[in-house]
Amino acid sequence: MYYIGVDIGGTGIKAGIVDEKGNIILKSSVPTEKGIDYKGLAKSIYNLLQTVLADARIAADDIKSIGMGCPGTIDAKNGMVVYANNINLTNAPLCEELKKYIDKPIYIDNDANCAALGEFFALGDDTVSDFVAITLGTGIGGGVVINKKLYSGFKGAGAELGHMVIEKGGEGCSCGRKGCWEAYASATALIRETKKAADKNPASYIAKLIEENGGNANGKMVWDAKEAGDETAQKVIDQYVENLSEGLANIINSFRPEIIAIGGGVCRQGDNLLNPLKDALKGKIYGGDLTESSRIEIAKLGNDAGIIGAAFLGK
Ligand SMILES: [Zn+2]
C-alpha cells in the first residue's frame, strides 16, 4: 500500500506518492491560484492527485490514505483550515470537500507539524519517542513529537516555537509581538543582520560580496565571508548562533526531546553551524553536565519532509 502526501503552500501545491518506508515514489506540483477558495483548492488538489497516480501507474485502490499539510492554524480533528493568511482560507472544511472527489481517509495538519513528523520517521529509530524539528527559513517553523505523536495543542494552534520571545521589546515580528525567536534566528534575521553589519563596515569582505551581488545579501554569503577570514562576518555569525541557542535552550528546557533536528538553508553549513551551536548551548541547559541533553542534528529530508510527513498522518 501507498500513502499520498500533499504540501499546500502560498505559491504552489506539491503532492507525492509515498511508500511504507517513507520513500517518495513520484511527486508533482501545480501553482496555487491567487485568491482560490477551499472548493477550488480541493478540486485542484484532486486533479494533481489524478496526475501523480497516472504518472506513477498506481491505482487509487492501492492508496491507503491522503494527508495534507497546510500553513496556518489547522483543526486536525475536524479536517478544517481555521486560518491560513497566505492562501486566504478561513474555517474551510478542506478534508470534507476533498472527500467528495475521492473516497479515502483524508487527514490534515499544519505544514510545519507535517515536516516534523516526516523528519521523525526519517530518523528510523524506534527508541526515540520525543522529538522536535525546526526549520530556519523566512520564519521559524517548528513541530513537536511527544510519545511518537504530533503535539499541536488546543485546536492545533500550539507548538509555535518561533514565537517565543528571547528579547523582550526587541525586533518586531510578523505575529505582532516584539523580540520573538523567529525575528533573531530565521534566515530572514541572518540576512538582515548581515546587511546591517556590512553597511557599518564598508571595507569588510562581506560588504564587498554584497556589493558584487547588486547590493543583495543572501543567507550563504556571511558563511563564505567568514570562511575567507572576514571578522565582520564572524561577528554576525557568532551573534546569530547565540540567538539560535537561546531558543533551542528554551525548547530543551521545556520538552527535553531526545533529538532536535534543524532544517532550512543554513543547515548546509553542517558542522560549521552545529559545533559553535553546541558550544553556545553549554551553560544554558537546566541540570547542566549532570543531565543528558538533547542531541542537535541536521534534518535529513529537507524540502520533502512536508510531503512525507503529510502522507504519514494516516499511518
Ligand atoms: Zn512572533
Side-chain angles (χ1 to χ4, degrees):
M1 290 299 269
Y2 299 96
Y3 302 83
I4 294 182
V6 182
D7 191 355
I8 304 167
T11 54
I13 305 163
K14 295 185 279 181
I17 300 176
V18 177
D19 70 12
E20 293 276 354
K21 287 183 177 155
N23 302 304
I24 295 182
I25 305 295
L26 190 132
K27 61 178 173 179
S28 187
S29 64
V30 288
T32 311
E33 256 177 72
K34 283 269 162 284
I36 198 166
D37 65 359
Y38 75 91
K39 291 187 174 184
L41 184 63
K43 183 87 205 284
S44 94
I45 290 170
Y46 175 66
N47 290 339
L48 179 60
L49 299 189
Q50 293 291 91
T51 308
V52 289
L53 285 171
D55 290 353
R57 297 180 183 193
I58 287 174
D61 282 350
D62 293 328
I63 299 299
K64 199 169 167 196
S65 63
I66 298 163
M68 299 183 282
C70 182
T73 303
I74 309 297
D75 180 353
K77 226 188 210 167
N78 296 305
M80 302 266 293
V81 180
V82 179
Y83 172 71
N85 62 334
N86 60 354
I87 14 179
N88 208 9
L89 297 175
T90 313
N91 291 321
L94 195 57
C95 287
E96 192 185 302
E97 187 64 23
L98 186 60
K99 217 161 157 57
K100 289 179 185 166
Y101 296 97
I102 185 162
D103 188 24
K104 295 280 172 191
I106 300 175
Y107 306 90
I108 190 166
D109 213 312
N110 170 273
D111 57 350
N113 286 349
C114 289
L117 196 60
E119 294 292 353
F120 176 68
F121 280 112
L123 293 174
D125 184 347
D126 276 349
T127 66
V128 177
S129 59
D130 301 325
F131 173 79
V132 170
I134 58 159
T135 307
L136 308 171
T138 310
I140 295 185
V144 178
V145 172
I146 296 177
N147 266 330
K148 306 193 182 204
K149 296 255 179 255
L150 264 179
Y151 173 81
S152 50
F154 181 52
K155 297 264 183 192
E160 286 295 344
L161 302 176
H163 300 285
M164 66 171 113
V165 167
I166 63 161
E167 184 84 41
K168 204 172 167 208
E171 294 282 345
C173 180
S174 59
C175 73
R177 222 171 158 199
K178 281 183 176 166
C180 288
W181 189 35
E182 162 169 316
Y184 288 87
S186 60
T188 311
L190 178 62
I191 293 167
R192 180 194 68 222
E193 292 305 312
T194 301
K195 272 190 202 154
K196 232 193 252 175
D199 285 346
K200 264 194 210 158
N201 302 278
S204 63
Y205 182 55
I206 182 64
K208 186 171 164 262
L209 285 183
I210 294 173
E211 199 190 315
E212 281 171 4
N213 196 41
N216 298 313
N218 61 40
K220 186 175 172 284
M221 277 176 188
V222 70
W223 298 91
D224 293 344
K226 187 212 89 164
E227 207 53 41
D230 184 45
E231 259 182 54
T232 303
Q234 180 72 58
K235 279 184 194 155
V236 171
I237 288 173
D238 289 349
Q239 188 58 55
Y240 176 75
V241 167
E242 179 60 28
N243 294 337
L244 186 55
S245 77
E246 286 291 345
L248 285 175
N250 292 343
I251 293 172
I252 294 170
N253 290 342
S254 304
F255 300 106
R256 190 68 62 116
E258 284 135 295
I259 297 174
I260 300 179
I262 306 178
V266 70
C267 290
R268 280 179 221 122
Q269 300 305 324
D271 284 344
N272 286 337
L273 172 71
L274 287 187
N275 290 337
L277 187 57
K278 284 171 189 169
D279 285 340
L281 278 168
K282 279 181 194 150
K284 295 190 178 89
I285 306 303
Y286 183 79
D289 291 341
L290 298 173
T291 61
E292 192 175 344
S293 187
S294 308
R295 271 181 6 240
I296 313 286
E297 295 182 354
I298 299 292
K300 291 187 171 78
L301 300 176
N303 286 335
D304 287 337
I307 291 178
I308 297 169
F312 281 180
L313 286 174
K315 199 171 158 73

